[in-house]
Amino acid sequence: MFFENNDLHAKMASAQDTDGDGKVSPQEAAAYVQQYLQNASPEERTQMMHDYFGQLSPDQKSAIGTALVQSPATPVTSVDPNNDHDLVDAYTKSAQAPATANGQSPLEAAFAQGGMLSSPLVKAGLVGLAGIIGSRLLRH
């Protein structure tokens, strides 16, 4: 289902939008990333996330780590932004946690308007991650 949805992967890979506004919103990217993290094998998920965090600057890693810890929507209580494995674990736990009362994943809720992950730096990273996932899934 998720892995066979090449149209969705292509939209994310090309940063096109799924609701017609001309871009991929952080909420759309969060939903896509959450679906990927819930459906990918542990090995594939870990490799994808390590590749992603390996390309980020220390400032981007710190912003993501801080936001994941500060967001009341995520189950993350601490993260070392200098440790990619710790960031991968925190991000994955946030994406795989049970939905909030309004049906969003904690990752989606954290990226929602006013959420702790709503900084432009973090949002750009999330949309970038969705693009990386979409591109890699289209190549497989």
Side-chain angles (χ1 to χ4, degrees), residues 1 29 43 49 74-75 87 130:
M1 315 224 198
E43 297 80 19
M49 296 303 291
T74 69
L87 282 166

Side-chain angles (χ1 to χ4, degrees), residues 2-3 5-6 8-14 29-38 40 44-45 47-49 51-52 55 91 95 107 125-140:
F2 173 76
F3 289 107
N5 192 344
N6 286 338
L8 178 60
H9 304 319
K11 287 178 183 180
M12 290 297 164
S14 66
Y32 180 73
V33 169
Q34 184 258 340
Q35 287 178 19
Y36 170 78
L37 292 174
Q38 287 187 335
E44 181 182 7
R45 181 176 57 232
Q47 184 60 51
M48 177 75 72
M49 296 303 291
D51 290 350
Y52 168 68
Q55 72 178 8
Y91 214 92
L107 194 60
L126 176 69
V127 174
L129 175 57
I132 290 168
I133 292 169
S135 293
R136 189 168 293 174
L137 292 178
L138 284 173
R139 287 194 304 264
H140 287 87

Side-chain angles (χ1 to χ4, degrees), residues 15-135:
Q16 291 179 359
D17 172 73
T18 57
D19 66 5
D21 67 2
K23 61 182 181 155
V24 174
S25 73
Q27 292 79 17
E28 289 171 309
Y32 180 73
V33 169
Q34 184 258 340
Q35 287 178 19
Y36 170 78
L37 292 174
Q38 287 187 335
N39 289 286
S41 72
E43 297 80 19
E44 181 182 7
R45 181 176 57 232
T46 299
Q47 184 60 51
M48 177 75 72
M49 296 303 291
H50 274 286
D51 290 350
Y52 168 68
F53 283 114
Q55 72 178 8
L56 298 181
S57 72
D59 287 345
Q60 289 171 309
K61 290 177 186 183
S62 181
I64 290 171
T66 299
L68 285 170
V69 170
Q70 291 179 349
S71 175
T74 69
V76 177
T77 58
S78 68
V79 63
D80 177 0
N82 299 312
N83 180 328
D84 286 358
H85 180 72
D86 208 33
L87 282 166
V88 168
D89 187 55
Y91 214 92
T92 303
K93 282 180 182 173
S94 297
Q96 293 179 325
T100 61
N102 66 0
Q104 292 179 314
S105 77
L107 194 60
E108 289 175 277
F111 280 96
Q113 190 76 320
M116 298 305 290
L117 297 178
S118 63
S119 81
L121 184 66
V122 175
K123 284 183 177 181
L126 176 69
V127 174
L129 175 57
I132 290 168
I133 292 169
S135 293

